[in-house]
Amino acid sequence: MQRELESLIISLRGHRVILDMDLVVIYGVTPKRLNEQVMRNKGRFPDDFMFQLDDQEVSDLWSQIATTK
């Protein structure tokens, strides 16, 4: 299980992150539900817990995903 989780970690903006699309699979919830819970429980998460990708980052990630497959 640890190796599977480690394979989901990517480096972005100098931080090691797991994308929400991977977290929803891990937790078995929808992206909407995951985001709702984070927003409702902001006090439980550090300030840098999440951030929104810009259009270029999304494009770059899709390119990387397509290349690795």
Side-chain angles (χ1 to χ4, degrees), residues 1-10 16-18 22-23 26:
M1 176 81 167
Q2 173 132 0
R3 284 191 178 142
E4 292 172 15
L5 288 176
E6 287 175 5
S7 71
L8 299 176
I9 299 170
I10 62 170
R16 293 169 36 109
V17 300
I18 298 177
D22 293 324
L23 288 173
I26 292 169

Side-chain angles (χ1 to χ4, degrees), residues 11-61:
S11 181
L12 191 61
R13 298 183 191 172
H15 297 280
R16 293 169 36 109
V17 300
I18 298 177
L19 299 174
D20 61 348
M21 66 184 196
D22 293 324
L23 288 173
V24 298
V25 172
I26 292 169
Y27 291 111
V29 297
T30 64
K32 179 180 179 180
R33 185 73 174 142
L34 176 69
N35 290 324
E36 283 175 350
Q37 290 305 309
V38 171
M39 293 302 171
R40 287 182 181 166
N41 297 288
K42 282 186 178 185
R44 293 184 176 190
F45 300 100
D47 291 337
D48 63 351
F49 176 74
M50 69 178 197
F51 56 86
Q52 187 76 33
L53 300 179
D54 63 35
D55 291 339
Q56 184 61 50
E57 290 168 328
V58 171
S59 177
D60 292 347
L61 281 173

